[in-house]
Amino acid sequence: AASLRPLNMWLVRRFGFVAPIFWGRWWCPLLPRGDVELNTVYGAVLELPRIDNPTDEQVAEWHQRYMDAVVNVFESYKGQFGFGARRLEIL
């Protein structure tokens, strides 16, 4: 996790994204681990407009709306899963 941060930052600078590293079951690392509870929740639908040539401001606006929606989902459900006192930090 923290020890992989320098590698992650290098990948972001070099390629513009980070390839996720999965591990789960030994025979299929994409499946979740059996000893960890997996919960799924849904938030309100965020309908995005089709903008052929968006400005930087439009991209920033819709990105912020998406991030606000993610935070709202976390805040709405965190108490049900024992994270009531936690604050979501998006890097």
Side-chain angles (χ1 to χ4, degrees):
S3 62
L4 295 176
R5 186 135 178 93
L7 174 63
N8 286 342
M9 296 310 296
W10 179 81
L11 288 169
V12 168
R13 285 191 301 275
R14 180 83 168 109
F15 301 108
F17 68 93
V18 174
I21 299 171
F22 300 101
W23 65 76
R25 309 260 182 194
W26 66 270
W27 46 270
C28 185
L30 297 179
L31 291 177
R33 293 178 8 215
D35 62 332
V36 176
E37 188 175 323
L38 178 64
N39 301 294
T40 303
V41 297
Y42 298 92
V45 173
L46 179 62
E47 294 190 31
L48 303 175
R50 171 123 176 99
I51 304 172
D52 289 327
N53 297 305
T55 64
D56 290 344
E57 292 79 20
Q58 289 170 315
V59 171
E61 174 190 349
W62 286 100
H63 179 258
Q64 187 59 54
R65 287 187 189 198
Y66 172 76
M67 300 306 283
D68 291 344
V70 169
V71 170
N72 187 43
V73 169
F74 178 79
E75 291 295 326
S76 296
Y77 292 99
K78 69 181 181 179
Q80 293 178 18
F81 303 108
F83 299 111
R86 293 208 181 159
R87 185 179 140 269
L88 180 63
E89 181 178 350
I90 300 174
L91 303 175

